[in-house]
């Protein structure tokens, strides 16, 4: 198995470190959507959503498919979908501890 350095891991995890990015991932977890569809679903603005989509692409979590003038975004693959599901499974177990955590160290 490829050994991944800690900086690469941190860049990957950064994709999950913002509420809007997690909302986008959940929005496209099961089906691809255009920026307009994501903006409408999240009730956000296109510029902000587009910036977060660029981050998610840069982190390797999503891919885009051009169709005419629209780009359709989807979660990269089943492994990323499984990871999102695993987050939910783990969070069910630790949610009480997380709720009590008010110290975040950078």
């Amino acid at each position: 198995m490829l050994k991944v350095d800690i900086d690469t891991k941190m860049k990957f995890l950064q994709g999950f470190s913002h509420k809007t990015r997690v909302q986008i991932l959940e929005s496209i977890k099961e089906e691809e959507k255009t920026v307009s569809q994501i903006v409408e679903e999240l009730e956000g603005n296109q510029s902000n959503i587009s910036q977060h989509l660029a981050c998610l692409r840069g982190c390797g979590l999503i891919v885009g498919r051009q169709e005419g003038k629209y780009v359709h975004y989807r979660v990269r693959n089943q492994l990323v979908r499984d990871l999102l599901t695993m987050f939910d499974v783990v969070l069910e177990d630790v949610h009480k501890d997380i709720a009590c955590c008010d110290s975040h160290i950078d």
Side-chain angles (χ1 to χ4, degrees), residues 12 18 26 29 34 43 51 55 58 66 68 71 77-78 85 87 94 99:
F12 175 75
H18 193 279
E26 290 295 331
K29 182 178 174 182
T34 64
E43 298 178 354
Q51 289 175 351
C55 176
Q66 187 81 40
V71 178
N77 55 32
Q78 187 60 46
T85 300
F87 283 158
V94 300

Side-chain angles (χ1 to χ4, degrees), residues 7-71:
D7 290 331
T8 302
K9 286 180 184 180
M10 294 310 301
K11 287 179 184 178
F12 175 75
L13 291 171
Q14 199 166 10
F16 301 101
S17 69
H18 193 279
K19 180 180 178 179
T20 301
R21 290 194 290 272
V22 175
Q23 288 174 314
I24 290 169
L25 288 167
E26 290 295 331
S27 170
I28 62 174
K29 182 178 174 182
E30 300 300 330
E31 65 178 324
E32 67 179 18
K33 295 181 181 169
T34 64
V35 176
S36 300
Q37 290 171 313
I38 297 167
V39 166
E40 184 177 325
E41 184 176 324
L42 272 53
E43 298 178 354
N45 70 61
Q46 185 164 346
S47 175
N48 184 267
I49 298 293
S50 293
Q51 289 175 351
H52 286 294
L53 286 165
C55 176
L56 290 167
R57 283 181 81 166
C59 292
L61 295 171
I62 67 170
V63 293
R65 175 181 64 81
Q66 187 81 40
E67 186 176 295
K69 65 179 185 172
Y70 298 101
V71 178

Side-chain angles (χ1 to χ4, degrees), residues 97-104:
D97 295 327
I98 292 172
C100 296
C101 179
D102 29 345
S103 62
H104 300 337

